[in-house]
Amino acid sequence: MAAEILSMNPFAYTATGELGENRDTMLSNELLLRTQLGRPKRRGYSSAPAEHFVYGRPLEPRQGGADDALHGWPPMNPLAATTLPFSRKEKKTDRDFMVLNKAAVQAGLVTASENYKFRATHDVRRKTAGDENTRSRTRRIPPTMVFGISTRPSTPIFDLLEHKYQDKWLMSRRQMELTKRQEESKSASTRSAGFSSTLKQRRNPNTVYETRASLLRTYQNPVDEAPLWQLPKFKKNARASLQTFRSEGVRKQGYEHFESDQISRKGQLGHGVFESAKN
């Protein structure tokens, strides 16, 4: 009997119990709720739905088969458009005004008002790029056509077992040594014969040497720099009339000293004060 009373009164499992003050907020406060005997403790602050509540979205039955699924199922609401990603959408092409103008001229309509009325009663759409090139791109593929990338030929295992690649490398090295010895013998014979020093130089086969043609191709004729522009009346008359240096040698020494002294002075021209030492 007592168990039935406890189950009927929800405040029996609170901290105050039935004798204390009962408020609706006590049933949602985890600090005031007490666990029931033989039942797990409820966690959460909102009331659970009813016992027969079904979670999820309702499954709407659709009529049709695989063909309807591939072409886009019609929506349940006839006024609504389908939202399937594979539904076919009609592409609206632009109007072909060149064809309309040509047809209007052939019909004898040349004014703006006549063209406007003709376009209102006639409609010609431009062809898409896919429709124009469909016939030109289609071609017959032979039945023996194989698509994909060709398989790389397998490594000859017999050559690996017989060390054929090693022998090939050794033969190439021996051939290089023989050619090198032949060049050395030729240079020695030319040295004994007393040829010029240019023939005594050893040539490296891996080096590209310059020829006379290549040098002449890259040679540029020296061009004297044009003098600075000056007014014609000052070329002969406006000359330096004051010479502060005793001689040309003293003048060069003064400029050299000025250039060396620019390093330790401030300013772009080196006329400022001396700078402090920098670490």
Side-chain angles (χ1 to χ4, degrees), residues 92-129:
K92 295 182 179 180
T93 57
D94 300 332
R95 299 184 70 181
D96 197 345
F97 292 99
M98 296 180 64
V99 177
L100 289 172
N101 295 340
K102 183 178 179 181
V105 172
Q106 291 177 355
L109 307 177
V110 292
T111 61
S113 59
E114 292 174 350
N115 278 331
Y116 181 78
K117 294 178 182 179
F118 182 80
R119 292 175 185 176
T121 56
H122 298 76
D123 189 14
V124 179
R125 296 290 174 176
R126 298 180 60 183
K127 296 181 180 180
T128 58

Short mmCIF file of all heavy atoms in Angstrom, two decimals, residues 92-129:
data_model
loop_
_atom_site.label_atom_id
_atom_site.label_comp_id
_atom_site.label_asym_id
_atom_site.label_seq_id
_atom_site.Cartn_x
_atom_site.Cartn_y
_atom_site.Cartn_z
N LYS A 92 17.12 26.70 -69.73
CA LYS A 92 16.49 27.73 -70.55
C LYS A 92 17.55 28.45 -71.36
O LYS A 92 18.43 29.11 -70.80
CB LYS A 92 15.74 28.72 -69.67
CG LYS A 92 14.56 28.10 -68.92
CD LYS A 92 13.83 29.15 -68.11
CE LYS A 92 12.63 28.54 -67.39
NZ LYS A 92 11.90 29.56 -66.57
N THR A 93 17.49 28.28 -72.64
CA THR A 93 18.46 28.93 -73.52
C THR A 93 17.98 30.34 -73.89
O THR A 93 16.80 30.67 -73.74
CB THR A 93 18.65 28.10 -74.80
OG1 THR A 93 17.39 27.93 -75.45
CG2 THR A 93 19.23 26.74 -74.45
N ASP A 94 18.88 31.15 -74.36
CA ASP A 94 18.56 32.53 -74.74
C ASP A 94 17.87 32.55 -76.11
O ASP A 94 18.00 31.61 -76.92
CB ASP A 94 19.83 33.38 -74.78
CG ASP A 94 20.51 33.42 -73.43
OD1 ASP A 94 19.79 33.27 -72.42
OD2 ASP A 94 21.74 33.60 -73.40
N ARG A 95 17.20 33.64 -76.36
CA ARG A 95 16.52 33.81 -77.65
C ARG A 95 17.54 34.17 -78.72
O ARG A 95 18.49 34.92 -78.47
CB ARG A 95 15.46 34.91 -77.55
CG ARG A 95 14.37 34.63 -76.54
CD ARG A 95 13.32 35.71 -76.57
NE ARG A 95 12.52 35.65 -77.80
CZ ARG A 95 11.53 36.50 -78.08
NH1 ARG A 95 11.24 37.47 -77.24
NH2 ARG A 95 10.86 36.39 -79.21
N ASP A 96 17.33 33.63 -79.90
CA ASP A 96 18.22 33.88 -81.03
C ASP A 96 17.66 35.07 -81.82
O ASP A 96 16.79 34.93 -82.68
CB ASP A 96 18.31 32.63 -81.91
CG ASP A 96 19.51 32.69 -82.84
OD1 ASP A 96 20.07 33.79 -82.99
OD2 ASP A 96 19.88 31.64 -83.41
N PHE A 97 18.15 36.27 -81.48
CA PHE A 97 17.64 37.48 -82.12
C PHE A 97 18.11 37.61 -83.57
O PHE A 97 17.45 38.26 -84.38
CB PHE A 97 18.07 38.71 -81.32
CG PHE A 97 17.41 38.80 -79.98
CD1 PHE A 97 18.07 38.39 -78.84
CD2 PHE A 97 16.12 39.30 -79.86
CE1 PHE A 97 17.46 38.47 -77.60
CE2 PHE A 97 15.51 39.40 -78.62
CZ PHE A 97 16.17 38.97 -77.49
N MET A 98 19.25 36.99 -83.90
CA MET A 98 19.71 37.06 -85.28
C MET A 98 18.75 36.33 -86.21
O MET A 98 18.40 36.81 -87.30
CB MET A 98 21.12 36.47 -85.39
CG MET A 98 22.17 37.24 -84.61
SD MET A 98 23.82 36.52 -84.74
CE MET A 98 24.14 36.74 -86.48
N VAL A 99 18.28 35.17 -85.80
CA VAL A 99 17.31 34.42 -86.62
C VAL A 99 15.98 35.15 -86.66
O VAL A 99 15.30 35.21 -87.71
CB VAL A 99 17.15 33.00 -86.05
CG1 VAL A 99 16.10 32.22 -86.85
CG2 VAL A 99 18.48 32.27 -86.09
N LEU A 100 15.57 35.74 -85.53
CA LEU A 100 14.30 36.49 -85.51
C LEU A 100 14.37 37.71 -86.42
O LEU A 100 13.40 38.01 -87.16
CB LEU A 100 13.99 36.91 -84.07
CG LEU A 100 13.56 35.79 -83.12
CD1 LEU A 100 13.46 36.33 -81.70
CD2 LEU A 100 12.23 35.19 -83.55
N ASN A 101 15.49 38.44 -86.40
CA ASN A 101 15.62 39.61 -87.28
C ASN A 101 15.62 39.21 -88.75
O ASN A 101 15.03 39.89 -89.61
CB ASN A 101 16.90 40.36 -86.93
CG ASN A 101 16.85 40.95 -85.53
OD1 ASN A 101 15.78 41.14 -84.97
ND2 ASN A 101 18.01 41.25 -84.97
N LYS A 102 16.27 38.10 -89.05
CA LYS A 102 16.31 37.63 -90.44
C LYS A 102 14.91 37.25 -90.92
O LYS A 102 14.49 37.57 -92.04
CB LYS A 102 17.26 36.44 -90.54
CG LYS A 102 17.43 35.92 -91.96
CD LYS A 102 18.44 34.78 -91.98
CE LYS A 102 18.60 34.24 -93.40
NZ LYS A 102 19.57 33.11 -93.42
N ALA A 103 14.16 36.55 -90.03
CA ALA A 103 12.80 36.16 -90.42
C ALA A 103 11.89 37.37 -90.56
O ALA A 103 11.01 37.41 -91.44
CB ALA A 103 12.24 35.19 -89.39
N ALA A 104 12.10 38.39 -89.69
CA ALA A 104 11.27 39.59 -89.79
C ALA A 104 11.56 40.34 -91.08
O ALA A 104 10.63 40.86 -91.74
CB ALA A 104 11.52 40.48 -88.58
N VAL A 105 12.80 40.44 -91.49
CA VAL A 105 13.15 41.12 -92.74
C VAL A 105 12.58 40.36 -93.93
O VAL A 105 12.08 40.97 -94.90
CB VAL A 105 14.67 41.29 -92.85
CG1 VAL A 105 15.07 41.81 -94.22
CG2 VAL A 105 15.17 42.24 -91.77
N GLN A 106 12.63 39.03 -93.89
CA GLN A 106 12.06 38.24 -94.98
C GLN A 106 10.55 38.42 -95.08
O GLN A 106 9.98 38.34 -96.17
CB GLN A 106 12.41 36.76 -94.78
CG GLN A 106 13.89 36.46 -94.98
CD GLN A 106 14.22 35.00 -94.70
OE1 GLN A 106 13.35 34.24 -94.28
NE2 GLN A 106 15.48 34.63 -94.95
N ALA A 107 9.92 38.68 -93.92
CA ALA A 107 8.47 38.91 -93.92
C ALA A 107 8.11 40.35 -94.27
O ALA A 107 6.92 40.67 -94.38
CB ALA A 107 7.87 38.54 -92.57
N GLY A 108 9.09 41.22 -94.44
CA GLY A 108 8.83 42.60 -94.82
C GLY A 108 8.61 43.53 -93.66
O GLY A 108 8.04 44.62 -93.85
N LEU A 109 9.05 43.17 -92.46
CA LEU A 109 8.89 43.99 -91.27
C LEU A 109 10.23 44.65 -90.97
O LEU A 109 11.23 43.97 -90.71
CB LEU A 109 8.44 43.13 -90.08
CG LEU A 109 7.19 42.28 -90.32
CD1 LEU A 109 6.89 41.42 -89.10
CD2 LEU A 109 5.99 43.16 -90.65
N VAL A 110 10.26 45.99 -91.01
CA VAL A 110 11.53 46.70 -90.84
C VAL A 110 11.49 47.72 -89.71
O VAL A 110 12.53 48.12 -89.20
CB VAL A 110 11.92 47.41 -92.16
CG1 VAL A 110 12.26 46.38 -93.22
CG2 VAL A 110 10.80 48.33 -92.64
N THR A 111 10.33 48.16 -89.29
CA THR A 111 10.26 49.16 -88.23
C THR A 111 10.38 48.51 -86.86
O THR A 111 10.26 47.28 -86.71
CB THR A 111 8.93 49.93 -88.32
OG1 THR A 111 7.85 49.01 -88.16
CG2 THR A 111 8.81 50.64 -89.66
N ALA A 112 10.62 49.35 -85.84
CA ALA A 112 10.80 48.84 -84.49
C ALA A 112 9.51 48.25 -83.94
O ALA A 112 9.52 47.20 -83.28
CB ALA A 112 11.32 49.95 -83.58
N SER A 113 8.39 48.91 -84.18
CA SER A 113 7.11 48.40 -83.66
C SER A 113 6.74 47.07 -84.32
O SER A 113 6.22 46.16 -83.67
CB SER A 113 6.01 49.43 -83.89
OG SER A 113 5.88 49.73 -85.29
N GLU A 114 7.00 46.95 -85.62
CA GLU A 114 6.70 45.69 -86.30
C GLU A 114 7.59 44.56 -85.79
O GLU A 114 7.13 43.42 -85.62
CB GLU A 114 6.88 45.87 -87.81
CG GLU A 114 5.85 46.81 -88.43
CD GLU A 114 6.13 47.08 -89.90
OE1 GLU A 114 7.23 46.68 -90.37
OE2 GLU A 114 5.29 47.68 -90.57
N ASN A 115 8.86 44.87 -85.54
CA ASN A 115 9.75 43.84 -84.98
C ASN A 115 9.30 43.43 -83.59
O ASN A 115 9.41 42.25 -83.21
CB ASN A 115 11.19 44.38 -84.93
CG ASN A 115 11.90 44.25 -86.26
OD1 ASN A 115 11.59 43.35 -87.03
ND2 ASN A 115 12.82 45.16 -86.54
N TYR A 116 8.84 44.38 -82.78
CA TYR A 116 8.37 44.06 -81.43
C TYR A 116 7.17 43.13 -81.47
O TYR A 116 7.10 42.16 -80.71
CB TYR A 116 8.03 45.36 -80.70
CG TYR A 116 7.56 45.15 -79.29
CD1 TYR A 116 8.46 44.88 -78.27
CD2 TYR A 116 6.20 45.23 -78.98
CE1 TYR A 116 8.03 44.68 -76.96
CE2 TYR A 116 5.76 45.02 -77.68
CZ TYR A 116 6.68 44.76 -76.67
OH TYR A 116 6.24 44.56 -75.39
N LYS A 117 6.23 43.39 -82.37
CA LYS A 117 5.06 42.52 -82.49
C LYS A 117 5.44 41.15 -83.05
O LYS A 117 4.88 40.13 -82.66
CB LYS A 117 4.02 43.19 -83.39
CG LYS A 117 3.43 44.47 -82.82
CD LYS A 117 2.45 45.11 -83.78
CE LYS A 117 1.90 46.41 -83.23
NZ LYS A 117 0.96 47.08 -84.18
N PHE A 118 6.42 41.13 -83.97
CA PHE A 118 6.84 39.86 -84.55
C PHE A 118 7.52 38.98 -83.49
O PHE A 118 7.30 37.77 -83.45
CB PHE A 118 7.79 40.12 -85.71
CG PHE A 118 8.26 38.88 -86.41
CD1 PHE A 118 7.45 38.24 -87.34
CD2 PHE A 118 9.50 38.34 -86.12
CE1 PHE A 118 7.89 37.09 -87.98
CE2 PHE A 118 9.94 37.19 -86.76
CZ PHE A 118 9.12 36.56 -87.69
N ARG A 119 8.33 39.59 -82.63
CA ARG A 119 8.98 38.82 -81.56
C ARG A 119 7.99 38.35 -80.50
O ARG A 119 8.22 37.33 -79.84
CB ARG A 119 10.07 39.67 -80.91
CG ARG A 119 11.25 39.96 -81.83
CD ARG A 119 12.22 40.92 -81.17
NE ARG A 119 13.30 41.29 -82.09
CZ ARG A 119 14.25 42.17 -81.80
NH1 ARG A 119 14.25 42.79 -80.61
NH2 ARG A 119 15.19 42.44 -82.68
N ALA A 120 6.90 39.09 -80.32
CA ALA A 120 5.89 38.66 -79.35
C ALA A 120 5.13 37.44 -79.82
O ALA A 120 4.65 36.64 -79.01
CB ALA A 120 4.92 39.81 -79.07
N THR A 121 5.01 37.26 -81.14
CA THR A 121 4.28 36.11 -81.68
C THR A 121 5.19 34.97 -82.15
O THR A 121 4.71 33.87 -82.40
CB THR A 121 3.42 36.56 -82.86
OG1 THR A 121 4.26 37.20 -83.84
CG2 THR A 121 2.35 37.54 -82.40
N HIS A 122 6.49 35.21 -82.26
CA HIS A 122 7.43 34.18 -82.69
C HIS A 122 8.55 34.06 -81.66
O HIS A 122 8.98 35.06 -81.06
CB HIS A 122 8.03 34.51 -84.07
CG HIS A 122 7.02 34.60 -85.15
ND1 HIS A 122 6.17 35.68 -85.30
CD2 HIS A 122 6.70 33.72 -86.16
CE1 HIS A 122 5.39 35.48 -86.35
NE2 HIS A 122 5.68 34.30 -86.89
N ASP A 123 9.01 32.86 -81.50
CA ASP A 123 10.07 32.60 -80.51
C ASP A 123 11.03 31.57 -81.08
O ASP A 123 10.62 30.47 -81.49
CB ASP A 123 9.48 32.10 -79.20
CG ASP A 123 10.53 32.02 -78.09
OD1 ASP A 123 11.62 32.61 -78.28
OD2 ASP A 123 10.28 31.38 -77.06
N VAL A 124 12.31 31.91 -81.11
CA VAL A 124 13.37 31.00 -81.57
C VAL A 124 14.46 31.01 -80.52
O VAL A 124 14.93 32.07 -80.10
CB VAL A 124 13.93 31.44 -82.94
CG1 VAL A 124 15.03 30.48 -83.37
CG2 VAL A 124 12.83 31.51 -83.98
N ARG A 125 14.87 29.84 -80.07
CA ARG A 125 15.89 29.71 -79.04
C ARG A 125 17.22 29.28 -79.65
O ARG A 125 17.26 28.60 -80.68
CB ARG A 125 15.46 28.68 -77.98
CG ARG A 125 14.21 29.08 -77.22
CD ARG A 125 14.50 30.24 -76.30
NE ARG A 125 13.28 30.74 -75.65
CZ ARG A 125 13.28 31.71 -74.73
NH1 ARG A 125 14.44 32.25 -74.37
NH2 ARG A 125 12.15 32.12 -74.20
N ARG A 126 18.28 29.71 -78.99
CA ARG A 126 19.61 29.35 -79.47
C ARG A 126 19.92 27.91 -79.11
O ARG A 126 19.51 27.39 -78.06
CB ARG A 126 20.66 30.27 -78.84
CG ARG A 126 20.49 31.73 -79.19
CD ARG A 126 21.57 32.58 -78.53
NE ARG A 126 22.90 32.18 -78.97
CZ ARG A 126 24.02 32.71 -78.50
NH1 ARG A 126 23.96 33.67 -77.58
NH2 ARG A 126 25.19 32.31 -78.94
N LYS A 127 20.67 27.27 -79.96
CA LYS A 127 21.08 25.90 -79.70
C LYS A 127 22.28 25.88 -78.77
O LYS A 127 23.16 26.72 -78.85
CB LYS A 127 21.44 25.20 -81.01
CG LYS A 127 20.26 25.05 -81.96
CD LYS A 127 20.69 24.32 -83.22
CE LYS A 127 19.52 24.18 -84.18
NZ LYS A 127 19.93 23.46 -85.43
N THR A 128 22.28 24.89 -77.89
CA THR A 128 23.40 24.75 -76.97
C THR A 128 24.60 24.15 -77.69
O THR A 128 24.48 23.56 -78.77
CB THR A 128 23.01 23.88 -75.78
OG1 THR A 128 22.58 22.59 -76.27
CG2 THR A 128 21.87 24.51 -75.00
N ALA A 129 25.74 24.29 -77.04
CA ALA A 129 26.97 23.77 -77.66
C ALA A 129 26.94 22.25 -77.76
O ALA A 129 27.49 21.65 -78.67
CB ALA A 129 28.19 24.22 -76.85
#
